[in-house]
Structures are given as C-alpha cells and as structure tokens.
Amino acid sequence: MSLWTSLEPASATVDPGGSTTVRLRLRNTGDVVDEYRFEAVGDVAPWTVVEPQTLRLYPGTTGTVELTFAPPRSPDATAGPNPYAVRITPTEHPEAVTVPEGNLTITPFTEVRAELVPPTVKGRFRGRPKLAVDNLGNTKLTASVSGSDNGDQLSYDLHPSNVQIEPGRAAFVKATLKPRQVIWFGSKEERPYKLAVQRSGVAPLDVEGTYVQRGFLPRWLATFLGVFMALAITFVMLWIAYKPQVRSEAKERLDEAGVSTLAPSPSATPPPPPTPTAPASTPPPAAQSSAAGGGEGGAGGGSEEEEKKAPEKTAATAVQALAADDPGGRHICYRAFVTGKGWTDAVCDGQTAGTEGEGKPIKALNVAVSGTKRTGSAAFVHFPGSTDGKGHYNGKPWSFAPEGIDNYFGSTKQGAPNMLGFTINVDDGGGAVCQTTHIHNEGWHGMGCDKPGEGEGYIFGGTLSNDLWLEAVKFTV
C-alpha cells in the first residue's frame, strides 16, 4: 500500500479567538481501493477540526481534507510556534499509518486584570492593601506598579514594584500607604487614591481605592482636654490672685533668734509607701473552661443520658488541653467542615485538617488559640453572580474569639458556598500566624505568614478564583 500526502501550507498563523484552515492533499498510489481515517494529534488537537473524517479513494485518485484550527483567547493557547500532526490510518492496511506534520504559529495577545484587596483600608498612621494582578493573556507579563492621589496626600511603599507573571497566573503587590500629615484631633477623612499597573507601550491600568485616615484622638477627647485646660488655667489664675497672706508668728520668733528653718529634721522625711498587693492571677483557658462547664452537674444538671453523652471535641477542646500541659506556650488548633464528611477531627500546630485529592470542598473552619489575646477571621467564598470569575467576602464581618474559645467562619448550612480562601490574624495583628492551603487541582500553596509591625495585620490564604476551592489547611502560631 502506498500513499502520497501534502500540507498546503505547511506553516500557518492564527489569532487566539480566530481560526485558519490548512488543506491536506493525498493520493492513493496503490492498486486497490482504500478508505482513510484522519485524526489530529499534538498540543493543538483539542482546537482542530478535520473534515471529512474519512475519505475513500480509488487507485491513482487524489482527495482533499481541510484542517480548521480555532485556538481560544485564553492563556491555554500558548503564543509562538506549535507543531501539529495528522494521523492517517488506511482501512485495508491499518498497520501502515502515515503522520504528516505541520506548524501552527499562535499570535500573542495581552489581557491584564487588577483588583485591590480590600478596596478600602483604615488606619491612623498607615494602611496596607494588596493589589492582585492577573495575567489573562498568552505571553509573560512584565509591568511596574506605582501609586498616586490628588493633592499628594499619601506616600506609597510598594513591594514588589515590578512584576513578571506567567500566562494564566497572578501576582500580589503589597502596598503600604502613609499619610503625609497626621490628624491629631477630629473625625476620620477619606483619601481616594489609585495604583497604576504600567506596561511598556500601552496606557496604564488604574485601580482605585480609598484610605480612611482616622484621627489620633477622638473629637470628644479634644473637647474634654480643652475644657480641662481652661478650667486648670482659670483655677491657677484665681489662686495667684486671691492667695491668702498667712504670717507665722513662730517663724518670726525663730528668725529673731537666728534659727534657720531651711534644713528639715530627719523626723520630717515621710516613710516609704507600702508594697501594693499583687492581683489574683487569671486561670488559664483550660481552667476557665472547666469552671464554666462544671455547672452542668452542679447547677441543676440534666438527665443521666445527657451526662453520659460525650461533648463535641472542637478546636477549643483541643487547644485547652494543650494550654493545660504547656501554660506558657503558643498553640493553634483547628478543624474543617468538609462536603460529604462533616467536621473533621481537631488537629493542632501544623497538622493537616481536611482532605487531599478527593475533590471535597471545605465549607467552614473552626479555630481556637492559646498564648495569644484572641483570633479574628473572615471567609472568602464562591460567588455565583460574579462577572469576573472571582469569589467574594459574603458580607459577614470578621468573627473574633478570645483565646481558648471557638472561632467559626464560613457556613455549615445545606447549600452553603464553597470556601475559596480566608483572612486570619492573632493578637489583633500584633502576633504572627502562618498558614498553607491545599487548593483543588493546584495542590499545596506555599507557606504565608503575617509579620507583626510589617504586614497588613492579617494574612490571606487560598485563592480568588470561583473555579478553585479549599480542600485542606495547616496553621501555626
């Protein structure tokens, strides 16, 4: 069996989102009638249509097949040359496969999307938003980031100020906003600003945000201090004006006798003040929990069946046990509410809560800490009404819980949205907390930590994409 083939043209170019056609000519050079099946192979095969898929040729006759390439306008359509091939299998002699090869060049395109997280930040001396920059094009993105505002009221510290992002990936730029003037007294003021993503040869992409600058002291305190100072000055002036002139007859007689009254006698020195009594120490979280839970048996009690029922082992139960064994240590315990499984067992200090590779989303998290003031958190969840493919914070405020107490974020209700990510802190941002997350189809992300005095007062973990979700988490403090 013999077959002659020719691709016309052998090399073609196509724009993402468009299409182009290449003709494959073939001649049956054998001496029997044969039918040929065609199949596109290679990286561009998913975007290739072959028509017709079969062709019957008599000996010495020629036929034509059209290959239509239609790569999508997405990062998956990698810019540059992409080799392709067509597998031709004859029916009469299936072992005699012919594979002509060609080259398809996909033209580059750029598409950038940027978003501030959160869009509004508050502070007296600084604000710390993050700028998320997504590369939706099919080539590597190189850009610089700068900040500006009307009136030059803010200064900007951006890290990094230059980014390089692969197709289909995102980068986060940490921004520190500092007002050039401090508001010592009075109400807060809103200062609009924008961060610009600048690429070579194109107009910058501006992202607008708001920095709410709070006064150092509230207005009522300024009024109080003003009234207090006025009263104090008035009192001093009145005292100076009307101070009674008191004459001591004893002093006059001592002066006449030549005795000095300037050096006090030893008996005139006051004794040292008494040592203050130390306040009673506060019991550790485990003791507080035991004291609070003792009322079940001693303050009315329940039925015998209720007394025998074991209490739910939450994150607080686990962290209280650690605090009892290590009163001076810092610990964090946590568990995950997994789709189809419910609450997992509570784990602590860098262990895994959730599942890996099972495709089961996390709906909610339960966290408790010891050795810190308290913990705060908020859930970033799937948003069905999204127009940009991202989730959102579902409108609930941050949830806080003191050490030794359970903190919950997310939802365990039926039909609750999948958790995509979260924000968390300890000590109101004054302590360090680290996290790493296992994301659907991406695996474990790198470890991220909140740095007291340098970061935003919290750490974000997870993803912004609606198509991805949390499967497992690890925390340390």
Side-chain angles (χ1 to χ4, degrees), residues 228-274:
F228 177 80
M229 290 298 296
L231 291 176
I233 294 174
T234 302
F235 176 78
V236 171
M237 296 300 294
L238 291 174
W239 174 260
I240 294 175
Y242 298 100
K243 181 178 180 181
Q245 300 295 325
V246 179
R247 293 176 58 84
S248 172
E249 184 177 354
K251 183 176 183 302
E252 290 178 354
R253 292 185 179 181
L254 286 173
D255 290 341
E256 293 175 358
V259 179
S260 174
T261 61
L262 295 178
S265 65
S267 62
T269 303

Side-chain angles (χ1 to χ4, degrees), residues 146-170:
S146 60
S148 63
D149 60 274
N150 292 331
D152 195 26
Q153 298 174 333
L154 303 173
S155 64
Y156 304 86
D157 182 12
L158 305 174
H159 183 76
S161 59
N162 294 280
V163 294
Q164 286 189 341
I165 311 172
E166 296 295 332
R169 307 296 293 179

Side-chain angles (χ1 to χ4, degrees), residues 1 77 115 199 214 247 287 320 341 347 380 398 413-414 422 461:
M1 193 282 298
E115 180 181 10
R199 293 172 292 148
R214 296 170 173 167
R247 293 176 58 84
Q320 289 170 10
K341 290 191 174 184
V347 297
F380 190 82
W398 278 58
K413 295 182 180 179
Q414 185 174 3
F422 55 83

Side-chain angles (χ1 to χ4, degrees), residues 433-437 445-451 459-461 474 476:
V433 58
C434 298
Q435 57 75 33
T436 179
T437 56
H445 282 196
M447 178 72 71
C449 300
D450 179 21
K451 297 180 180 179
I459 185 70
F460 179 87
K474 299 177 183 178
T476 55

